[in-house]
Amino acid sequence: MLWRKLMQIFIYFTALFAFVFLAALLVRVLRKKGKNSLQYLLILYIIAVMGWIFFLFFEDASRRLGNLQAAWILERGKCFFITLVPIWILFMSHAFAQDGKYLTKLAYLVMADPVITQFGLWTDNRFHLYYSSLFVRGRAIGLFSAAHIMIFFTVMAVALVYLVLFMRKASKELHFQALLLIVCTALPVFVNILFIANT
């Protein structure tokens, strides 16, 4: 019980630090003049992560205060931003690996994940497409939930491949930045794997 409490405190402080750091980074990027497409993608990515953290905190606070209706709504907001994070990572990693070239139109199909996930969450009471009576390792899972998990891991795997390609062709001065991007991209994947394995 004590270990779980300490872990929760660690997660809260880490999330708070990440939020403050990203807010400062966002202000710095927004103040730059003549922004390129990669900087706009970075802005969208930062907003997505900050939105994820913001909704996560307020969802948890609502649950602790016993306001389950507000927590239910805030969870949908959190899930919206969660589905955007891998998309912006994919677009940024592709831009790095392909010298700023845009993804093909087919790749934009990953933008359907936020729409499908939100539809599944908001209509689950009626259609049972996100949470259902099917249990995997003690966790209720539906068709849309399974699709979201598969899309998340596929998109993140492709993004990691792009980042490795970028690191291989980048100059030695950029190796540290490329390695940092790979670690920051692999971390959410690792956390999600642990979360799924423990539930």
Short mmCIF file of all heavy atoms in Angstrom, two decimals, residues 20 36 50 90 135 139:
data_model
loop_
_atom_site.label_atom_id
_atom_site.label_comp_id
_atom_site.label_asym_id
_atom_site.label_seq_id
_atom_site.Cartn_x
_atom_site.Cartn_y
_atom_site.Cartn_z
N VAL A 20 4.96 21.82 -16.58
CA VAL A 20 5.66 23.11 -16.46
C VAL A 20 6.74 23.23 -17.54
O VAL A 20 6.87 24.27 -18.20
CB VAL A 20 6.26 23.29 -15.05
CG1 VAL A 20 7.15 24.52 -14.98
CG2 VAL A 20 5.15 23.38 -14.01
N ASN A 36 8.73 26.98 -39.07
CA ASN A 36 8.57 26.02 -40.16
C ASN A 36 7.53 24.96 -39.75
O ASN A 36 7.01 24.98 -38.64
CB ASN A 36 9.92 25.37 -40.53
CG ASN A 36 10.56 24.66 -39.35
OD1 ASN A 36 9.87 24.12 -38.48
ND2 ASN A 36 11.88 24.65 -39.31
N MET A 50 0.15 18.38 -22.96
CA MET A 50 -0.34 19.22 -21.87
C MET A 50 -1.83 18.99 -21.62
O MET A 50 -2.29 18.96 -20.47
CB MET A 50 -0.08 20.70 -22.19
CG MET A 50 1.39 21.07 -22.09
SD MET A 50 1.70 22.80 -22.53
CE MET A 50 0.96 23.63 -21.13
N LEU A 90 4.38 10.60 -34.80
CA LEU A 90 4.59 10.00 -36.12
C LEU A 90 4.92 11.06 -37.16
O LEU A 90 5.88 10.91 -37.92
CB LEU A 90 3.35 9.21 -36.54
CG LEU A 90 3.37 8.65 -37.97
CD1 LEU A 90 4.45 7.57 -38.10
CD2 LEU A 90 2.01 8.10 -38.36
N PHE A 135 -13.59 -9.66 -21.16
CA PHE A 135 -12.53 -9.30 -20.22
C PHE A 135 -11.21 -9.94 -20.65
O PHE A 135 -11.16 -11.14 -20.93
CB PHE A 135 -12.89 -9.74 -18.79
CG PHE A 135 -13.91 -8.86 -18.16
CD1 PHE A 135 -15.26 -9.10 -18.35
CD2 PHE A 135 -13.53 -7.76 -17.40
CE1 PHE A 135 -16.22 -8.28 -17.78
CE2 PHE A 135 -14.48 -6.94 -16.82
CZ PHE A 135 -15.82 -7.20 -17.01
N ARG A 139 -9.60 -6.94 -17.41
CA ARG A 139 -9.92 -5.59 -17.90
C ARG A 139 -10.99 -5.68 -18.98
O ARG A 139 -10.86 -6.45 -19.93
CB ARG A 139 -8.66 -4.96 -18.46
CG ARG A 139 -8.83 -3.55 -18.91
CD ARG A 139 -7.49 -2.99 -19.33
NE ARG A 139 -7.65 -1.62 -19.76
CZ ARG A 139 -6.90 -1.05 -20.67
NH1 ARG A 139 -5.92 -1.71 -21.22
NH2 ARG A 139 -7.08 0.20 -21.00
#
